[in-house]
Amino acid sequence: TKSCARYRDELRTHEKVTQQLGTVQIAIESASDLVLILNQQGEIDYCNGAFKKAFDVTGSDEPFPLAKLFVDASMAESITTNVNSLGNFSCEIPMRSKSGTEFPAHVNANAIDDEDGVSRGVLYIIADISEQEQLRQEAYYDALTGLYTRRHFLELLSSNASLALRHHHSLSLCLCDLDKFKQVNDTY
C-alpha cells in the first residue's frame, strides 16, 4: 500500500512538472524577446520562434556563428570572455538582422551550469530596444536643431557633478550669454 501511494505521488509530481514545463515552453515560444541557448561546442541547443524569425536560423550541428549577429563582430568574443569569467554579461549593442538592417538591442548572456557546477552552455536573451532608443533620441535631441535638449544637459550635469564629488575632482561649468540671439533665432 505504501509503495502504491508513493508511486501515485510520484505520478502526480511528474504530471505537475510536465505541465509546468509545457507552460514554460509556451511562454518562451510566444515571447517577443529572442532566446538562444548555445552548448559548450557553440552549437544551438535551443532558439525560440522570435530568434528564428529575426535571424533565419535553421537547425545545424555546426557551431553557430555568433559574431554575424553583431554589427561589431568582436562583441561575440567579448561577451563570451565575460560570461566565461563572470558567469553573466549584459549590454546594449547594435545587432544585424537577417536582412542586414541594424537595430539596437539589449543582450543578456548567462552561463548555464548543472547541479554539479559543470557548464552546459550559454543562454542569450536579446531584446530589440528600437522604440526605447527612438524615445531616448526624442528626449535628448531637439528635432529642429539636432542639438542636445535642456533635459539631457541637466542629466549630464547631474551625473558629472556626482562623479566629480565621488572622486574628489574639480568641475567647471562655463555659461555664455549671446547678445541679440533672438534675431538669429527668428531668422534661422
Side-chain angles (χ1 to χ4, degrees):
T1 318
K2 288 182 182 179
S3 51
C4 285
R6 194 172 1 161
Y7 181 70
R8 276 194 298 273
D9 288 344
E10 287 177 14
L11 279 176
R12 282 189 207 112
T13 302
H14 178 72
E15 288 173 2
K16 188 174 183 178
V17 168
T18 302
Q19 185 180 25
Q20 288 172 339
L21 286 174
T23 302
V24 169
Q25 184 176 7
I26 290 169
I28 292 172
E29 277 300 319
S30 62
S32 60
D33 287 348
L34 316 177
V35 178
L36 170 68
I37 299 174
L38 296 180
N39 63 23
Q40 281 299 97
Q41 293 73 38
E43 301 162 346
I44 295 176
D45 268 356
Y46 174 82
C47 60
N48 69 348
F51 187 89
K52 290 175 186 173
K53 183 178 175 185
F55 297 111
D56 199 24
V57 174
T58 56
S60 172
D61 288 336
E62 298 176 14
F64 180 72
L66 191 61
K68 80 174 189 173
L69 303 180
F70 306 108
V71 172
D72 178 3
S74 67
M75 279 306 300
E77 189 175 326
S78 294
I79 292 172
T80 303
T81 301
N82 280 289
V83 169
N84 288 340
S85 61
L86 302 172
N88 59 37
F89 187 71
S90 180
C91 64
E92 289 184 10
I93 51 176
M95 298 189 74
R96 190 181 325 269
S97 70
K98 67 181 175 189
S99 63
T101 56
E102 294 181 17
F103 66 96
H106 184 89
V107 177
N108 282 305
N110 295 288
I112 303 171
D113 297 334
D114 61 18
E115 297 86 27
D116 300 327
V118 176
S119 180
R120 301 278 309 266
V122 180
L123 165 67
Y124 295 88
I125 300 176
I126 303 165
D128 182 344
I129 57 170
S130 298
E131 289 179 16
Q132 293 93 320
E133 192 60 33
Q134 180 64 33
L135 291 172
R136 185 181 305 164
Q137 292 290 323
E138 290 173 8
Y140 287 169
Y141 295 96
D142 178 70
L144 182 62
T145 64
L147 299 173
Y148 285 133
T149 61
R150 180 174 181 264
R151 170 187 289 170
H152 187 62
F153 166 75
L154 293 174
E155 286 181 16
L156 284 174
L157 180 62
S158 176
S159 66
N160 282 301
S162 295
L163 190 64
L165 187 62
R166 181 174 41 241
H167 296 288
H168 306 292
H169 293 152
S170 57
L171 179 68
S172 298
L173 176 63
C174 178
L175 296 174
C176 299
D177 182 21
L178 302 177
D179 291 335
K180 299 182 180 140
F181 188 73
K182 183 172 179 356
Q183 291 173 333
V184 173
N185 210 17
D186 291 345
T187 305
Y188 299 103

